Each structure stands twice: as C-alpha cells, then as structure tokens.
Amino acid sequence: MKQIPIFWPYVPKKKILKEISETLNGRWLGQGPKVDKFEQEFGKKFGYKYPLFLNSGTSALELAYHLVGLKKGDEVIVPVLDCTAGQTGLLRRGVKIVFADIRKDTFNIDPEDVLRKVTKKTKAVIIVHLGGIDAYDGDLYEELSNKGIKIIVDAAQHHEPKELGGDYICYSFQAIKHFTTCDGGMLCLKDKNTHKRAKLLRWFGIDRDLKQKHNYQAWERRQMTFDIEEAGYKMQPTDIDACFGLAALPDIDKIIKYHRDLAIEYLRGLESTDEITTVVGGSCWLFGILTDKRDQLASYLKKFNIDTNMVHLRNDIFKVFGGKRLKLPNMNWVEPRYLYLPINPAVTKKDVKFICKKIKEFYNNE
C-alpha cells in the first residue's frame, strides 16, 4: 500500500541541475552573484525593496531580534503554538517570553490576548502565519505601532507572493516549505539603512562590497582595506542554496495553487463529516482538523499508510520555556483535538479522496 507522506519537498530537478551546473563551472560556490540574483528575483515577486537572503529562517528571526535591540529584561509576546526555533533565540538574549493564546479557528495568535498582555516592557510582538493562514490584523498592527512596539512577522510557513505587513518579515526556505533552498531564509527590511546594517551583520560585520572593490585583499599599501564597527554573525547563504531558490521561485504560484486545490478537495470530502472541523487558509501549507477523537483517528489512518502529525506542540510545556501549561483557554481546548493531514507535492487529489474516505469510515464504524 502506498505511503501518503505528511511532508514532501518540491524539487524541480532539471532546473536545479541547470543552475548548479552553471555555478560549478564558475568561481563562486559560497556567497556570490547568484545570492544577489535570488534576492532581486524574490524582491520583485513578493514586492519587497530590501530583501536579505540568509542561511535559515531562524537566522532571519535572530537577526531581526538584533536589529530591534532586544536585551535582558525586555518582554516579547509570542504565540504559544509555534516552532521552538525562533523562540529559543529570544531566551539566549535574556528576553522574557510572554505566551499569548491562539484563535480556535486559525491557530494563529489571538489579538485580544496580545493586547491584554502588553506592558511598558513590551518591546516586540511576533506574529506567526501558522500553516500558511494569514495572521494579519489591521487593528492590532495599528495599536502596536502606536505604542512603539515592533512587529516581527514569522512567515516561515506562508509563501504567498505578496508584501506582508509588519516591521521585520522573516521567511524560511527549509526543505519542506512551499519551495526550498535546502535550508535558507529571507529577512525583508523596510528601509535602506537598516538593510545596509543587516547586510554587514550577515557576514561578521564585514562590508563584502568594499572587500570586492579591493579584490578581497584585507591589506593594501600598509593600510587595512576595511574595518568592522559592529560584531556580526555567520549567516550568509551560498550560491548553491540560491540555485535551488532561482529554480523554484518562478513556480511559486503553481505550487500554492496545487496546495489550494488539494485543500478544496479535502473540504469537499469532509463537508458532511460533522465530527471534523477544518482549519486551513491562505497559502495552505498545512491542512488542519479538529476532532474529539484525534488520537484514535490518527492510529486508524496509520493502518492505511496515511501520515498525520501535530507538527508543533505548545511551547510553554517545554522545560526550556518553563515546562508548565499556562491558563490559555483556546490553546487548552485545541491541544487534545488538532491534527494535520498530508498536503504537499507528493499528494494527489486521488490520495485526498482516499484519506477522506478512510476518515468517514472511521466515524461510521464508531
């Protein structure tokens, strides 16, 4: 029986190999001209003037934290249901993490709970477009901006080609996202000066453009050819990474349409199943459901080689974040009920119909 995977990468193999072949015939394997080209093409497609390609989506978040100037004692409000990667970066900065509740209908952060938890120490709020469902809330964004609170947007799972609201927009191109650079990320900035600073911080604080002007010689005529004014990181991507991005980026509309078509097939197939509530939208990276018999359903689907997964756990229960379930009513209600079904390039409409059939069988046999 065929395995129906919960995740599968989008790999336009012929186009990737063509890009990589060009790169292998040239000088640059590390950060070079294709990194610049991918940034330009991404900016055009998504509507950003100042995109910065990085080695991961986590690096994009970490660099955003640096640019905001987060430090010990600052408070940052985050959704309790999210990947741990970005939030551990806050811990390393000594930031106090304030967990906000989620919405039952989207699993995204609850704007009302965010506003209840804002204090004078709140420096930033992280908005996550979980599963590709758009989390933008105009009233919330306006109120936070009026209070001088920075909005860091985690669009790791939301690759819809449009400019997103917020002060710092972070994307991930990790292997199983809508499209991939194997691993990688993009930080989109709002102004030229911040972009210039971020570009220096991406590579140790060194001005690569200036180095290039001096043929990458650090010393010339008894003088340094460059200086370092701010301690940076090693967050640069490679031209090999960019090859994957350049090959897949032109297909993003097709990729998202495919996800949405599968989502529509699920919605049709599950429409008459009263025991299931669906949670999906936006770029449809994930297809979520809510059911009172989550664990039993997951076990039943496994018998037919249908992968399911919770993908993310609530972060407050990890020891590193305190290890205690907080009083978050919506999260507490959702926790025993949510599950994600397969939706990716390896899944067909026929597969979705099969999955829906087995879900109906499960409830009819109960």
Side-chain angles (χ1 to χ4, degrees):
M1 189 181 296
K2 171 187 172 182
Q3 184 82 16
I4 306 177
I6 187 74
F7 292 121
W8 196 271
Y10 176 76
V11 182
K13 188 174 179 180
K14 288 183 179 179
K15 292 196 292 182
I16 291 170
L17 290 175
K18 181 178 181 296
E19 290 283 352
I20 289 180
S21 179
E22 291 175 359
T23 296
L24 294 179
N25 287 331
R27 176 184 179 186
W28 297 100
L29 296 181
Q31 183 186 343
K34 287 206 171 178
V35 168
D36 297 337
K37 185 179 179 182
F38 179 57
E39 287 176 344
Q40 293 165 6
E41 295 302 316
F42 182 89
K44 288 178 187 176
K45 185 65 179 176
F46 280 68
Y48 295 108
K49 193 173 181 180
Y50 301 108
L52 188 74
F53 188 25
L54 298 161
N55 58 6
S56 71
T58 303
S59 289
L61 287 165
E62 297 256 8
L63 191 50
Y65 303 158
H66 184 107
L67 294 168
V68 171
L70 296 178
K71 60 186 184 303
K72 188 174 182 178
D74 289 336
E75 293 181 2
V76 175
I77 300 173
V78 305
V80 70
L81 187 62
D82 185 21
C83 177
T84 59
Q87 296 183 4
T88 51
L90 294 171
L91 291 179
R92 287 192 293 274
R93 302 188 78 85
V95 168
K96 179 183 177 182
I97 293 176
V98 179
F99 286 113
D101 205 352
I102 61 171
R103 290 173 46 170
K104 289 182 180 180
D105 59 339
T106 65
F107 300 167
N108 284 325
I109 200 166
D110 179 4
E112 292 182 4
D113 198 39
V114 170
L115 293 177
R116 282 193 291 266
K117 290 174 175 173
V118 169
T119 72
K120 292 181 180 179
K121 292 183 179 180
T122 305
K123 193 75 175 283
V125 173
I126 298 178
I127 304 293
V128 180
H129 299 277
L130 196 71
I133 299 178
D134 200 317
Y136 176 76
D137 183 291
D139 292 338
L140 175 64
Y141 278 43
E142 183 178 1
E143 190 150 354
L144 293 175
S145 295
N146 290 340
K147 294 177 182 293
I149 297 171
K150 295 299 182 182
I151 300 169
I152 299 171
V153 176
D154 182 340
Q157 301 177 5
H158 187 36
H159 286 182
E160 188 166 1
K162 66 176 184 179
E163 182 180 3
L164 298 177
D167 298 299
Y168 301 86
I169 319 299
C170 306
Y171 292 90
S172 168
F173 308 128
Q174 182 263 349
I176 56 174
K177 298 305 192 297
H178 281 104
F179 76 93
T180 181
T181 59
C182 291
D183 207 346
M186 193 75 73
L187 174 60
C188 298
L189 293 314
K190 298 296 183 178
D191 65 87
K192 184 177 181 179
N193 289 336
T194 305
H195 177 261
K196 182 179 179 181
R197 182 185 173 202
K199 193 174 181 181
L200 295 177
L201 289 168
R202 174 175 65 179
W203 199 61
F204 307 116
I206 296 172
D207 188 334
R208 287 178 67 95
D209 294 334
L210 184 60
K211 285 202 72 174
Q212 186 178 20
K213 288 180 182 178
H214 292 276
N215 197 29
Y216 297 95
Q217 295 295 326
W219 193 260
E220 186 176 87
R221 298 180 183 178
R222 300 186 181 182
Q223 292 184 358
M224 295 190 306
T225 59
F226 68 92
D227 205 345
I228 300 173
E229 298 180 7
E230 184 177 8
Y233 303 89
K234 192 179 191 301
M235 294 180 169
Q236 84 280 10
T238 70
D239 268 21
I240 298 296
D241 302 324
C243 286
F244 279 75
L246 288 167
L249 181 61
D251 297 340
I252 187 60
D253 293 311
K254 179 179 73 175
I255 295 166
I256 291 178
K257 183 181 184 303
Y258 190 78
H259 275 247
R260 286 174 173 163
D261 287 346
L262 292 180
I264 290 169
E265 198 65 46
Y266 270 122
L267 293 172
R268 287 174 182 158
L270 298 174
E271 186 178 14
S272 61
T273 308
D274 295 335
E275 296 89 348
I276 294 286
T277 300
T278 56
V279 182
V280 68
S283 55
C284 300
W285 185 64
L286 295 175
F287 189 93
I289 61 171
L290 289 163
T291 172
D292 289 335
K293 296 180 178 179
R294 189 264 313 280
D295 295 343
Q296 299 96 312
L297 175 60
S299 296
Y300 184 79
L301 294 177
K302 189 176 181 180
K303 294 177 183 178
F304 301 96
N305 286 337
I306 300 168
D307 283 348
T308 61
N309 204 300
M310 293 168 67
V311 183
H312 301 303
L313 302 181
R314 58 187 297 167
N315 285 347
D316 56 352
I317 63 175
F318 289 101
K319 287 183 180 179
V320 70
F321 296 117
K324 179 181 178 183
R325 279 181 176 79
L326 301 175
K327 294 180 180 180
L328 301 169
N330 291 342
M331 182 71 253
N332 294 345
W333 184 87
V334 166
E335 185 178 7
R337 294 175 171 87
Y338 75 102
L339 189 69
Y340 288 107
L341 303 177
I343 185 168
N344 59 67
V347 176
T348 66
K349 288 185 179 181
K350 184 178 178 181
D351 293 331
V352 172
K353 289 177 181 177
F354 176 73
I355 294 168
C356 292
K357 177 184 176 183
K358 291 304 172 184
I359 290 174
K360 288 177 181 178
E361 281 182 7
F362 169 77
Y363 287 106
N364 289 337
N365 293 333
E366 282 292 303

